[in-house]
Amino acid sequence: GIAGWAEFQRGFVETINLETRKFLDRGKELFQLAPIRHIRFLDIGSSLPRLSASPLLARLNAMTMYAQHLGEELAQALVESPYLGQLQHLNIGRNRIGDRGVQRLARSPRFDQVRSLDLSDNAIRDAGVRALAESSHFANLTKLELRRNEITRQGLTNLCSSRTLTNLRQLGVGLNYIGTPRDVDPPSTREVSLTSLDLSENGVTVESLREV
């Protein structure tokens, strides 16, 4: 078969793991076989420019490019792709895109339909988080995963006081530096109303939480 693993919804294949080379070579055939909505791309590497330029991406509403170690180049490729307007779920964890990569994403209008964004393990610091918190292009975001980055209490404060991420309900910031003592300006307003907040493995105490 074309795909290495598949997940079914209502009797149809909807999510698959797929080598990027196979997607580029046989993507049209794949979509003729099943209404694929989510692809977990494997072994992207040097195929990134061709992948981001593929019109077939417009058929997806969810895309995962996890642990491809593509760096800031991945963020740039996504920003330049004209075929991501239908994306509602994007997972680009463990690519080390850094603050500059996040800032590129935050400035782009390509992602205004994205509701779920996974940026875990990407060497993101408070500057990158601030860009997200101030971006008007992620206003529809309801779930944000930032696990295993380098975010301090200031970054968390910026997220919780964001005037643009008002739809955000689930936030994951486990394995960061939230419990590290830093000078933090308390938010003037609490715009974000979370229903779920993961602060695990941050050295967080009850007293430090009161300061945020």
Side-chain angles (χ1 to χ4, degrees), residues 2 27 76 104-105 124-125 160 164 177:
I2 302 175
Q76 185 62 29
R104 288 180 185 273
L105 297 177
I124 298 169
R125 300 184 178 184
C160 290
T164 56
Y177 302 112

Side-chain angles (χ1 to χ4, degrees), residues 3 5-7 12-18 23 27 29-40 56 58-62:
W5 177 91
E7 179 179 309
F12 295 98
V13 176
E14 191 167 89
T15 301
I16 60 171
N17 289 356
L18 186 66
F23 175 81
E29 177 186 347
L30 176 70
F31 286 112
Q32 289 173 353
L33 293 172
I36 306 298
R37 303 301 291 159
H38 179 190
I39 295 181
R40 298 187 178 105
L56 294 176
R59 297 180 178 234
L60 302 176
N61 66 13

Side-chain angles (χ1 to χ4, degrees), residues 129-145:
V129 167
R130 181 173 180 177
L132 280 177
E134 295 178 350
S135 173
S136 62
H137 302 304
F138 284 101
N140 286 314
L141 206 61
T142 61
K143 182 178 181 180
L144 176 61
E145 182 56 66

Side-chain angles (χ1 to χ4, degrees), residues 6 52 110 142 181:
S52 61
R110 304 276 190 207
T142 61

Side-chain angles (χ1 to χ4, degrees), residues 87 95 165 207:
L87 273 188
N95 276 287
L165 299 180
E207 187 155 323

